[in-house]
Amino acid sequence: MLSPLEKLNKFLELEREQNYENRAVVGGLDKAVPYWEKEARAFQLPDDLISFVVEKLQEYPRLTPEQRRECVHQIYAQIESCNASTKPMVAETEPTPAQSRGVKLSERASIATDAPVETEQHILRTLQTPLHRVSGVGKKTAEALEKLGINTLQDLLYFFPRRYDDYSRLKPINKLKYGDEVTVLGVVQAIASRQVRDGKLQLIEAIITDGTGTLRLSWFNKLWYVNRFPKGTQVAVSGKLDMYLGKLIMKDPEIEEIDREQLHTSRIVPVYPLTADLNQKSLRRLMYRTIMQWAPKVSDFLPASVRSSLKLLELGVALSQAHFPDSQDVLDQARWRLAFDEIFLLQLGVLRQKHSWKSLQARVFDVPDTWLEQKLAQLPYELTNAQKRAVQEIRADLVSGKPMDRLLQGDVGSGKTIVAALAIGMVTYHGAQVAVMAPTSILAEQHYRNLSRVLTQSDESTLPILQPEQIRLLTSDVRGAEREKILNDLQHGSVKLLIGTHALIEDPVQFQDLQLVVIDEQHRFGVAQRAALRQKGNNPHLLVMTATPIPRSLALTIYGDLDLTVMDEMPPGRQPVETHVLHPLERERAYQLIRHEISKGHQAYIIYPMVEQNENGEHLSVVQEYTRLQQEIFPEFRIGMMHGKLKPEEKDEVMAGFRDGKYHILVSTSVIEVGVDVPNATVMLIEGANRFGLAQLHQFRGRVGRGSEKSYCLLIPESDDALENERLSVMVETNDGFVLAEKDLQQRGPGEFLGTRQAGFSELKMANLTDVHIIEKARQQAQLIFQQDPELSLPEHTLLAKKLGEFWRNGRGDIS
Ligand code: ADP
Ligand code: MG
């Protein structure tokens, strides 16, 4: 694409060649004025240059050829003088008029008609141009950008600033205070490096001044700064103010050379994420060119009805304002619009997915009331109301004639297993097969034992749901003849319930008639794995279970394609786990409690955030602490160690050892988190508790308090930082997983809840899944559109359909 100056040059050049016949632009040079002016303004060419050119071009048709020649020369002269005096941001990469004068004849055809023939199709295609073919992007820049995941022109438009420096709200150095996070402008007064720590590190120190005072800056190992920011360089530095020997200092600030235009062209300046091979200034210049040239051409895929009902900015405007905002207010609007787009597309995709799944047919599994009543009467307890509701919902799904697609969400210990068992019973009642998939062998084994117990029990009045030999466990440990037999029996239909790990989705596993798929701790599985298991049957019903409480706003967004059952009630008689936050110096008290509990025959977990210490030795780690605990603290006890670097078999062995009482204490990283049941464990000690999210801490806590004995959860943060302790104290106040999840979402964002369900989420650049307001609006609009036009086949939805396909292209194939 040509910049406005390049275009102008071409027009003038053509005119010269054609003896000033006013034919360079179809209909005359004056016809080019409106769009040229618009582009020139977008490009921020100097105002006086623009008005000069506009005036000259407008009078051009009325002039004699001789006058026209004069006119062309005047314009050239004006451009050149402008170039000499000011240097607009884009000028550096612009060819000067002299350079581009030699326009070839072969290029003529496109010249006169350049802007008007750019059809939507053309622009859409151009936006997919690979970066290295975009003008102004060098090979090295393209490579560096590709490392950041930016491969096309469109990616570049959506490569948003990490933050903005608002130069209108700068603080002078003499007004800075300890703790401020600021951007300061100044001139480098001195910069030097010296070796510290026996020559292991280079300390770079600089002093900048802005006339009101001086500020000291320091970095480690950034030796090249000394040359890059020599004395006299105008810089902007951003960072947090610290104190050293009674003086303010900025440690490891971001620093950048600035020039006058930067301050004048936009007071709010974008700061982009960088890699080593990119520099902020040239990247910003590239973005500026790209945005000014392309953002106005991007067609808006949002139907006008959506845009107007929510008063959303036009897409092109939103894009340019998100990069180079005119004001904070417009920036907010731009970000809102772009965030809305993302959630809206996500929602629309989710609705479409659900729609396509629901349009399939599934077998009906009806059971008589008496059957259900008998099964319930057989249980040693009465179901909670939440469990009853879940059973009813599943029962209704199974007779609906459409595949069930249900997420059963219930806190640890809420009793999901029995609900799943009843669902299994309803399907096997008709002789069909069921698969249950769990993320680890130990969990699969646990399900195998629990489900076998529930499903095979009988008394004088009722038959068991299944016979023991109809239930089989398949993990990677099951090999040889045993495996062969299981696979064979499965294929012939004599095995009705197969429980296992991802071994279930492997090729040789074939069902005779798979009709229900149950997946536990679903966030541990990728969408592809779930789909693979589902494909082993013919539109089987699907029940996924999770113990991770997910805030409602998020559940609707992420799992909008699943029907949601929340079990928000615990079976009666559970003792809440007594939770304490301990000061790091009170560790010995925790050890005493562990000793005391073990003396009563109980067991304990100790969790650490790290497997091994990092170089600085700052954080407690499993490997180091295991040795210390075993040698110095608990020499009299047997301690097991568990972490993610162990092989799966080793992990299972340690876990089984702990379950079977071989170890008194299990030290572990967070790998322990997922639903393992050791009712004899009564203490959960979590070191470095500040490094975990509340939802995750809650999962750890759920490992204890599973028996009838009183249990304890002890949280020790790395330091007694007040804020952390306040955050952790929420754990003391509530046992409600949803409350904690909600807090987590506010404090730490949605990362913890997404797990492997990434489809579409990698596309979220602007949206914050904690923003319930946007989520609600986007859902409403998506639903409206979907109701009107589920296939998006109306003409006003063509662009939207395209965009939707693009948005989901990475993550499609999920059919659950
Ligand atoms: P989770 O939801 O974590 O999978 P489980 O299904 O493992 O929970 O149930 C935890 C324990 O609670 C099990 O020992 C189970 O027998 C018991 N349980 C389930 N439902 C009830 C109930 N309604 N009343 C009493 N105990 C129950
Ligand atoms: Mg469970």
Side-chain angles (χ1 to χ4, degrees), residues 39-270:
E39 278 181 31
R41 296 221 182 275
F43 231 78
Q44 303 210 342
L45 293 181
D47 279 343
D48 44 0
L49 175 63
I50 298 178
S51 37
F52 183 84
V53 171
V54 166
E55 196 188 311
K56 287 288 168 197
L57 292 183
Q58 265 160 353
E59 65 179 4
Y60 191 81
R62 295 192 300 272
L63 304 176
T64 64
E66 190 47 38
Q67 288 169 321
R68 286 180 187 160
R69 199 170 74 95
E70 180 54 25
C71 175
V72 167
H73 281 282
Q74 284 172 354
I75 297 179
Y76 275 143
Q78 185 72 17
I79 294 174
E80 242 136 8
S81 79
C82 223
N83 249 336
S85 64
T86 66
K87 211 167 160 218
M89 262 178 82
V90 290
E92 253 181 39
T93 41
E94 257 0 317
T96 64
Q99 281 170 331
S100 61
R101 249 172 232 175
V103 179
K104 292 196 191 70
L105 278 174
S106 59
E107 289 178 68
R108 274 188 205 168
S110 67
I111 292 166
T113 49
D114 201 329
V117 295
E118 270 176 357
T119 61
E120 234 156 50
Q121 285 302 326
H122 176 72
I123 290 170
L124 280 178
R125 238 180 299 122
T126 315
L127 286 174
Q128 298 310 322
T129 309
L131 268 192
H132 60 266
R133 290 185 32 216
V134 174
S135 76
V137 183
K139 189 160 176 281
K140 273 178 91 177
T141 311
E143 277 166 14
L145 285 167
E146 275 158 20
K147 277 191 204 139
L148 293 169
I150 302 157
N151 300 307
T152 63
L153 186 53
Q154 167 148 307
D155 292 346
L156 200 56
L157 293 180
Y158 279 86
F159 177 53
F160 296 119
R162 189 162 45 87
R163 63 179 167 84
Y164 304 82
D165 281 339
D166 188 347
Y167 288 138
S168 61
R169 273 192 282 164
L170 289 168
K171 265 195 176 180
I173 290 178
N174 67 353
K175 291 274 157 51
L176 298 177
K177 292 194 310 288
Y178 171 79
D180 280 354
E181 272 198 74
V182 285
T183 298
V184 180
L185 295 185
V187 176
V188 178
Q189 207 172 49
I191 185 162
S193 73
R194 62 188 163 95
Q195 300 198 331
V196 292
R197 294 210 197 151
D198 303 332
K200 278 190 202 139
L201 291 175
Q202 289 281 351
L203 177 68
I204 320 301
E205 286 177 304
I207 294 176
I208 59 166
T209 174
D210 69 348
T212 72
T214 59
L215 177 65
R216 182 179 290 268
L217 317 169
S218 74
W219 302 269
F220 280 115
N221 290 344
K222 298 208 166 145
L223 204 51
W224 66 92
Y225 278 12
V226 176
N227 290 324
R228 195 186 278 182
F229 305 106
K231 185 173 173 191
T233 316
Q234 276 258 8
V235 291
V237 293
S238 323
K240 195 168 171 177
L241 285 163
D242 210 332
M243 204 62 125
Y244 182 69
L245 300 178
K247 289 200 162 168
L248 287 178
I249 181 169
M250 244 190 217
K251 290 180 182 163
D252 202 30
E254 288 182 42
I255 179 166
E256 181 192 353
E257 191 185 339
I258 48 167
D259 46 34
R260 297 231 159 265
E261 294 88 54
Q262 196 170 314
L263 298 179
H264 293 278
T265 46
S266 52
R267 295 191 314 170
I268 304 180
V269 175

Side-chain angles (χ1 to χ4, degrees), residues 416-417 447 520:
K416 294 184 290 295
T417 315
H447 276 308
D520 194 21

